[in-house]
Amino acid sequence: MIDTILDDLNEVQCEAVVNYEGASLIIAGAGSGKTRVLTYRIAYLLSRGVAPQTVLALTFTNKAAREMKERISNLVGPSTRRLWIGTFHSIFARILRTEAEHLGYTSAFTIYDTTDSRSVIKSIIKEMNLDENRYKPANVLGRISMVKNNLVTATAYQANGEAQAQDAAYRQPRIADIYKAYAAKCKNANAMDFDDLLLNTNILFHYHPDVLEKYQRIFRYILVDEYQDTNTAQYLIVKKLTAASRNICVVGDDAQSIYSFRGARIENILNFKNDYPEYKEYKLEQNYRSTQTIVNAANSVIEKNRRQLKKHCFSEGHVGEKISVIKAFTDQEEGFLVASSITDYLYREHADYNHFAILYRTNAQSRIFEDALRKKNIPYKIYGGLSFYQRAEIKDAVAYLRLIVNPNDDEAFKRIINYPTRGIGDTTLDRLQMAATQLNVSLWTTMNTVSPDQMGIRSGIAKKMKEFASLIDSFKTRALSDDAYQLAYDVIKRSGMLADLRDNKTPEGVAKYENIEEFLNSIKEFIDNQQAESEETNTFIPITQYLENIALVTDADTDKPEDRNKVMLMTIHSAKGLEFNYVYIVGMEETLFPGSMSSQSEQDLEEERRLFYVAVTRAAKKASVSYAQIRYRWGNLTSNLPSRFLREIDAVYLDNAEWATVRSNRITANDDNTPRETYSLKQGIPATQRTPQARNTIVPKSSLPQDEFIPDKAADIQAGMEVEHKRFGTGKVISIEGNGSDIKAIVNFYVAGQKTLLMKFAQLRIVK
């Protein structure tokens, strides 16, 4: 059967599938079918008699892992059950649970999410009497995360003089102390954060070579998806696991390496040939997603990067529409024009809302487009908003279950010790925390072993604490044998959560109650899916499996029915791996995209260019880019240059004739990022004679010496009038639309063409 299926692959894809021995580098351009190649390669391995339990496939999202499993199952049947397919974090969490005692943990360790970790950091900062404005928990956690991903432990960090000097320079000399305390609290709580799953796996393999050898024997064939996104910790784990067999297949695209801020190293894929000199290389260059125009336009930009694995992506699909350049006068007008374009395609092409995506560089840019879409009654969804599992009532329910499984989980303990209200307030919790810190044990251990009198806790409150402990204890043994759904339901009911939420008849309270119902449904669904996968309906599924599953869920893994027919708004980083028929890449201005910090080094600028490449290649049918000439920055209107990336698109792929003719006059830069002398936007002032601030700003003509220009009142401007604009020249007002602060004038300028201007910013002078 598999040989017949291979007929569906193109020649290069087929070669990458059947040559499964040794080291392989599969360079997969955008939309080139990399998931299909990975899937077929694994299916081909199984068809050749390779035992499924010896195959390890590592992905970056649970969604990608599920998709691969389903496809392989359709190709070769149920043997996929014994395959090791999952995210780096889920696979290594599975290994760490098996080998936990080697590292001083129990197999029931909790996996802290970002909220938990920030809470721990915040409590440490408070205990150390540090200024939270200087030691912001999110920033401190980010610093710790980065060093962990570079395999620097708390002890090693304290001994690193260079790191200490850097922290001191940033006026945060206690980072090392916070890191050490954080590591200790996590260990006492029998908890690991996401980064620990990678760090501890490396520690396990380094200090326990017998354990490493065990997994080297198990994993004979290792495949890694999105290899360009691996960090140091992931890279070293893979390298250790493949040291014996040398059977490694990595799939990725250096042109889509955009996560250096998370620790991803493009060098991992660029230097693959150095790690595995015997490797075979396969280039998947045919794009099956996008039109020829989109692919060619993206190529014309990314070819400007110096550090890359050369390939030439192509499409044999439709030529397709040229890329639209939407030039707006203000950021509000940009939102209006993008929303209007979406409306046009909705009616003209009979498209669905979910065929559209608006991509921006930073989350803060969403507001303008949200306002514009609401005014046109276009439903939208902000991708990456609050996850279902991050909602307060869900985290409360999960905290109960976590504490039952792992009583040393301090974050779960603190969350539910007084929920529903038991009269155990902050003062009591502070005294518990102080005693726990002094004894270097968990809050649960402190509550159950230290006399309330020693901690200064009144007898009435001590009784309530004892009742809470009894409640948790009553469920601890049940967790080992009870059905996960029934256990969760009983916990939520007996804890008082269900009654508390049922009694709240406000819309918010009703929504929370419904969310708890959905939470229980998710447990039931998880059990059914696990039993179906094992083909045994009576298989016992412990609550620990469910907890681990949701601990490793990301936004990319969720797909709610109510969000499936809405325009998607998201950052370009969030859009990687997704595709839409119509994509709008907005805010294409210098200092915004690329950002002002990114243009200071060639390495950073190349990553920004890769980010733009990713944005363009998300589009299947049509890509549009937009920019605003004037935008509010910190409450001030600033003039903007269009992004250099727009100028790097070959003009033959743009549909804006005006843009194509003036683009050569826009600011460009030499290879060393210094300005060229050919700029003409500054009224002939040579670039080297301008201030650094002026080099980054278009100076409106009205700010230069000329006849005084005094605009008329907006209320006096009427349709049919001939008006003058200090930039666009003279034109005729076609119509006035909107009301209040959103009144717009549509003006047909004799030279600049038709423009839609917000009257509060337009500054028009009546000619006649």
Side-chain angles (χ1 to χ4, degrees):
M1 179 181 177
I2 190 69
D3 291 323
T4 304
I5 295 174
L6 292 179
D7 294 339
D8 297 333
L9 304 176
N10 65 37
E11 184 178 349
V12 180
Q13 288 176 333
C14 190
E15 288 179 5
V17 165
V18 301
N19 294 303
Y20 59 81
E21 294 288 348
S24 298
L25 170 61
I26 302 176
I27 304 169
S32 63
K34 71 175 179 63
T35 303
R36 167 176 282 204
V37 169
L38 268 178
T39 300
Y40 278 48
R41 185 173 173 116
I42 295 171
Y44 193 81
L45 278 167
L46 300 181
S47 74
R48 289 296 179 264
V50 173
Q53 65 270 22
T54 66
V55 178
L56 169 64
L58 297 165
T59 68
F60 276 85
T61 67
N62 293 303
K63 183 178 179 181
R66 284 196 303 270
E67 183 179 343
M68 286 176 61
K69 284 182 181 178
E70 289 170 4
R71 291 191 185 187
I72 296 167
S73 180
N74 291 335
L75 290 172
V76 296
S79 59
T80 56
R81 289 197 307 272
R82 290 180 292 156
L83 287 168
W84 289 67
I85 298 181
T87 64
F88 280 89
H89 292 91
S90 66
I91 294 294
F92 300 150
R94 182 176 168 185
I95 291 173
L96 288 170
R97 289 204 187 280
T98 303
E99 313 295 343
E101 63 180 26
H102 289 291
L103 300 174
Y105 290 83
T106 75
S107 61
F109 65 79
T110 296
I111 299 175
Y112 276 172
D113 63 16
T114 302
T115 303
D116 297 321
S117 295
R118 285 181 184 172
S119 177
V120 177
I121 296 290
K122 188 172 183 177
S123 67
I124 292 169
I125 291 170
K126 181 180 178 181
E127 290 170 13
M128 292 183 173
N129 294 315
L130 299 176
D131 182 358
E132 194 172 315
N133 290 322
R134 179 176 296 180
Y135 292 91
K136 291 182 170 62
N139 294 345
V140 173
L141 181 61
R143 175 71 167 162
I144 292 173
S145 175
M146 186 61 73
V147 299
K148 277 187 179 181
N149 284 323
N150 284 294
L151 305 182
V152 180
T153 63
T155 303
Y157 191 76
Q158 278 197 317
N160 189 317
E162 186 178 342
Q164 304 299 302
Q166 188 177 33
D167 289 340
Y170 283 99
R171 301 176 63 205
Q172 295 178 321
R174 300 292 301 280
I175 292 286
D177 297 330
I178 297 172
Y179 183 9
K180 184 176 181 180
Y182 174 69
K185 281 185 179 289
C186 287
K187 191 69 175 291
N188 288 337
N190 192 32
M192 299 185 196
D193 63 22
F194 266 40
D195 300 315
D196 286 327
L197 297 177
L198 303 179
L199 175 61
N200 286 336
T201 302
N202 271 289
I203 291 173
L204 176 69
F205 289 163
H206 179 77
Y207 289 103
H208 301 277
D210 55 323
V211 176
L212 172 59
E213 186 179 352
K214 168 185 170 182
Y215 288 99
Q216 286 176 336
R217 288 196 305 269
I218 292 174
F219 303 136
R220 303 301 299 166
Y221 296 90
I222 296 178
L223 303 93
V224 184
D225 192 15
E226 304 287 10
Y227 192 63
Q228 77 282 347
D229 293 336
T230 53
N231 59 29
T232 298
Q234 291 161 332
Y235 162 79
L236 287 175
I237 292 171
V238 170
K239 192 173 182 182
K240 288 172 184 174
L241 287 173
T242 58
S245 71
R246 307 291 287 182
N247 286 328
I248 178 172
C249 171
V250 302
V251 184
D253 182 6
D254 58 295
Q256 297 185 66
S257 179
I258 59 174
Y259 294 121
S260 66
F261 66 95
R262 294 181 187 169
R265 299 178 71 253
I266 191 174
E267 292 81 7
N268 292 349
I269 192 168
L270 294 179
N271 298 333
F272 183 83
K273 61 184 178 183
N274 299 331
D275 292 329
Y276 305 92
E278 73 278 19
Y279 84 112
K280 299 171 186 174
E281 180 178 280
Y282 307 93
K283 293 183 180 180
L284 309 183
E285 297 173 308
Q286 183 171 354
N287 184 306
Y288 292 94
R289 172 194 302 150
S290 306
T291 64
Q292 294 181 33
T293 296
I294 291 170
V295 173
N296 292 338
N299 287 345
S300 69
V301 175
I302 200 63
E303 68 183 12
K304 310 294 191 301
N305 274 7
R306 293 180 180 178
R307 292 203 312 163
Q308 60 176 296
L309 299 171
K310 289 294 184 181
K311 62 181 179 299
H312 180 74
C313 293
F314 66 94
S315 170
E316 293 184 350
H318 297 296
V319 173
E321 295 184 52
K322 291 187 176 183
I323 293 176
S324 295
V325 180
I326 301 173
K327 181 172 65 173
F329 182 55
T330 66
D331 48 0
Q332 288 90 348
E333 185 187 19
E334 182 186 22
F336 172 79
L337 292 175
V338 168
S340 297
S341 176
I342 291 174
T343 301
D344 180 49
Y345 276 102
L346 283 168
Y347 290 103
R348 180 154 54 90
E349 301 294 332
H350 304 290
D352 293 328
Y353 295 118
N354 60 1
H355 292 165
F356 296 85
I358 298 175
L359 309 182
Y360 34 75
R361 182 64 182 82
T362 63
N363 278 307
Q365 294 170 252
S366 71
R367 182 189 62 82
I368 293 293
F369 301 96
E370 290 184 70
D371 291 345
L373 293 173
R374 277 198 302 267
K375 288 173 184 174
K376 290 188 174 291
N377 295 315
I378 297 175
Y380 66 89
K381 164 70 177 175
I382 301 288
Y383 187 90
L386 187 64
S387 164
F388 176 80
Y389 296 104
Q390 290 298 318
R391 293 170 180 169
E393 62 276 13
I394 305 303
K395 287 188 73 70
D396 291 336
V398 170
Y400 269 103
L401 298 174
R402 276 173 38 178
L403 194 65
I404 289 165
V405 171
N406 174 20
N408 292 319
D409 185 339
D410 281 356
E411 291 309 301
F413 182 98
K414 288 189 290 186
R415 188 172 189 94
I416 60 172
I417 182 65
N418 197 39
Y419 178 73
T421 304
R422 298 185 176 88
I424 304 173
D426 290 342
T427 300
T428 301
L429 189 57
D430 286 344
R431 289 173 180 173
L432 268 174
Q433 183 68 73
M434 188 180 304
T437 301
Q438 290 174 349
L439 295 171
N440 200 29
V441 295
S442 68
L443 293 170
W444 174 267
T445 300
T446 303
M447 182 179 69
N448 286 284
T449 60
V450 180
S451 166
D453 291 339
Q454 287 180 269
M455 295 183 285
I457 295 174
R458 298 197 308 271
S459 60
I461 296 177
K463 181 181 178 182
K464 293 172 183 176
M465 290 165 53
K466 187 174 181 180
E467 290 171 352
F468 173 72
S470 296
L471 174 70
I472 300 301
D473 281 332
S474 69
F475 285 109
K476 283 166 64 177
T477 53
R478 287 183 55 187
L480 301 175
S481 58
D482 276 23
D483 168 84
Y485 174 84
Q486 192 60 51
L487 176 71
Y489 179 82
D490 289 349
V491 168
I492 292 169
K493 184 177 180 180
R494 283 187 54 195
S495 67
M497 271 192 67
L498 208 59
D500 182 68
L501 294 173
R502 188 190 294 119
D503 292 342
N504 187 342
K505 301 302 183 184
T506 65
E508 294 80 6
V510 172
K512 289 182 176 183
Y513 185 81
E514 291 172 346
N515 286 338
I516 288 295
E517 179 187 8
E518 183 59 28
F519 171 69
L520 292 170
N521 291 340
S522 73
I523 298 177
K524 184 63 175 171
E525 182 181 353
F526 176 78
I527 292 171
D528 291 344
N529 289 340
Q530 292 296 105
Q531 290 176 339
E533 193 169 304
S534 67
E535 296 186 341
E536 293 183 21
T537 57
N538 61 348
T539 300
F540 171 61
I541 308 298
I543 195 65
T544 51
Q545 284 190 27
Y546 176 78
L547 290 175
E548 178 159 322
N549 178 66
I550 63 172
L552 298 170
V553 164
T554 65
D555 290 331
D557 300 319
T558 58
D559 183 19
K560 306 178 188 68
E562 65 268 23
D563 296 333
R564 289 177 188 164
N565 195 22
K566 295 180 180 179
V567 174
M568 297 299 290
L569 277 65
M570 66 183 78
T571 64
I572 303 170
H573 283 101
S574 298
K576 186 170 174 292
L578 303 177
E579 60 181 77
F580 304 89
N581 283 346
Y582 307 94
V583 169
Y584 294 82
I585 309 163
V586 299
M588 292 300 303
E589 298 143 30
E590 285 291 311
T591 74
L592 187 56
F593 190 19
S596 55
M597 298 295 291
S598 301
S599 58
Q600 293 181 4
S601 75
E602 181 180 10
Q603 184 172 323
D604 291 341
L605 183 59
E606 288 201 350
E607 177 151 338
E608 289 286 290
R609 188 176 285 114
R610 292 194 295 269
L611 190 61
F612 181 60
Y613 174 84
V614 166
V616 173
T617 54
R618 297 311 92 198
K621 291 184 176 180
K622 172 75 175 182
S624 302
V625 292
S626 67
Y627 69 95
Q629 295 166 299
I630 294 177
R631 181 181 299 275
Y632 270 108
R633 294 283 185 87
W634 298 102
N636 298 312
L637 277 174
T638 60
S639 297
N640 309 303
L641 283 171
S643 169
R644 70 188 71 193
F645 299 148
L646 297 187
R647 300 188 298 275
E648 291 177 355
I649 300 174
D650 193 315
V652 300
Y653 305 121
L654 301 175
D655 73 355
N656 189 317
E658 178 191 357
W659 169 260
T661 57
V662 304
R663 66 201 294 275
S664 60
N665 287 331
R666 297 300 187 185
I667 289 183
T668 56
N670 294 314
D671 291 337
D672 61 356
N673 288 320
T674 57
R676 291 178 183 154
E677 294 291 340
T678 57
Y679 305 169
S680 61
L681 286 175
K682 306 291 184 176
Q683 303 296 309
I685 304 173
T688 51
Q689 295 178 22
R690 284 184 248 119
T691 64
Q693 291 80 7
R695 291 175 195 154
N696 294 323
T697 310
I698 294 179
V699 180
K701 292 180 182 177
S702 58
S703 70
L704 298 168
Q706 57 180 344
D707 294 336
E708 187 177 9
F709 184 99
I710 301 176
D712 288 299
K713 293 180 179 179
D716 294 338
I717 308 295
Q718 303 293 325
M721 287 183 171
E722 189 171 47
V723 295
E724 183 182 2
H725 186 273
K726 56 187 177 182
R727 178 165 188 164
F728 301 134
T730 306
K732 188 172 184 178
V733 179
I734 299 174
S735 64
I736 304 292
E737 300 177 354
N739 51 61
S741 62
D742 293 322
I743 295 178
K744 303 176 183 68
I746 298 178
V747 184
N748 186 20
F749 292 100
Y750 303 138
V751 175
Q754 185 171 305
K755 305 289 180 184
T756 301
L757 307 176
L758 278 170
M759 290 301 292
K760 60 184 176 183
F761 298 123
Q763 296 193 320
L764 298 173
R765 180 167 66 181
I766 299 172
V767 177
K768 62 179 178 179

